Amino acid sequence: MILGGIRVTTICKADYYYGALLSVLVNGGLAPALFEKENESRQIYTVTTNKDSYIIYAKYHTTPSGSEDFTWSFTFSDNEIQEIINVHQNHSDKTLIFAFICGQKQVSDNNQIIAIVRWDEFVACVDVNKQQSRGTPRLSVKVIKGSPRFRIYGSKRADLLDGKDNTIRIERNRLREL
C-alpha cells in the first residue's frame, strides 16, 4: 500500500497469529527461521534446540465452536496434505511437529492457545494416505475448561467411540519440551 508516496507495509491477520507463535518460541529461548511461505493459510518454520532440530508446520483458526469448552477444527486441502507428506519425507533429519494456533476474535489472556501435536498423533487423527478418511482431512483441538490437557481428534479418529472418549490427550505446555 502507498500512503503519501511512501510504501507502507500492511499487517495481515495471519501476522498476529504466527507472530504469537514466534513470540512464544523466542521468549522460550529459541531462534526460529522461516522455512517456507507460500500463502497465509499456513507457515513452516525450522527451530533447533539443544535436544533436536524441528520443522514446525503452523496453522491458525479463529472461530471455535462451543460456548464453555471450545473446539477448533483445522482442515487440510489435498495440496496441504501432500506438502506435509513431502516435508516429512524430505527432511528426515528434523522432527516434524505441528503448532495449531487456536484463537478467538475477541482476544483475552485465557482464550488463545497453541497446541503442539507430534507426527504420530497427527497421523492418528488425519488419514494422510486417504484410506479411512471421512470427508475433508481435519484435526480438531478441544479445550475442556480446567483440564491440564487438550484433546485432539479428527477425520480419521472420532472424538467418541461407543459413547466413550476416544480423543488423544496432549499436554498444554509442550512448547517447553522442545
Side-chain angles (χ1 to χ4, degrees):
M1 172 169 45
I2 298 179
L3 270 169
I6 299 172
R7 180 175 285 281
V8 177
T9 302
T10 58
I11 299 173
C12 302
K13 179 171 76 167
D15 294 334
Y16 289 101
Y17 295 101
Y18 296 125
L21 172 63
L22 292 173
S23 175
V24 170
L25 292 172
V26 169
N27 289 337
L30 303 176
L34 185 61
F35 175 72
E36 185 178 320
K37 178 179 179 160
E38 286 180 8
N39 57 52
E40 71 174 53
S41 70
R42 62 97 187 111
Q43 295 279 328
I44 301 175
Y45 301 97
T46 59
V47 174
T48 300
T49 69
N50 58 356
K51 295 180 184 176
D52 203 351
S53 291
Y54 299 94
I55 293 182
I56 302 174
Y57 188 98
K59 279 189 86 148
Y60 76 91
H61 196 333
T62 60
T63 51
S65 61
S67 57
E68 186 152 325
D69 297 332
F70 295 108
T71 302
W72 289 264
S73 291
F74 295 86
T75 58
F76 299 89
S77 68
D78 289 342
N79 288 341
E80 287 174 307
I81 292 293
Q82 189 57 55
E83 175 181 58
I84 289 167
I85 291 168
N86 290 344
V87 167
H88 184 255
Q89 290 174 346
N90 297 333
H91 299 280
S92 58
D93 58 325
K94 294 178 174 50
T95 301
L96 175 60
I97 58 175
F98 299 84
F100 293 105
I101 305 159
C102 304
Q104 292 190 34
K105 290 182 170 83
Q106 297 298 319
V107 177
S108 75
D109 286 344
N110 60 359
N111 69 358
Q112 314 293 312
I113 61 149
I114 299 173
I116 300 298
V117 175
R118 297 183 188 114
W119 172 257
D120 60 323
E121 296 162 336
F122 180 80
V123 297
C125 295
V126 178
D127 186 8
V128 296
N129 298 319
K130 298 182 186 173
Q131 294 174 347
Q132 331 172 327
S133 170
R134 296 180 304 246
T136 302
R138 169 188 50 80
L139 183 135
S140 295
V141 177
K142 185 174 189 173
V143 176
I144 306 291
K145 193 172 184 176
S147 173
R149 293 179 181 84
F150 303 133
R151 292 178 168 100
I152 61 170
Y153 58 96
S155 53
K156 182 179 175 184
R157 181 186 192 101
D159 58 338
L160 294 173
L161 191 59
D162 296 327
K164 295 181 182 175
D165 184 10
N166 188 46
T167 60
I168 298 172
R169 295 177 186 207
I170 62 172
E171 296 294 323
R172 285 181 179 250
N173 60 356
R174 278 196 171 168
L175 276 174
R176 292 185 206 146
E177 297 173 9
L178 300 184

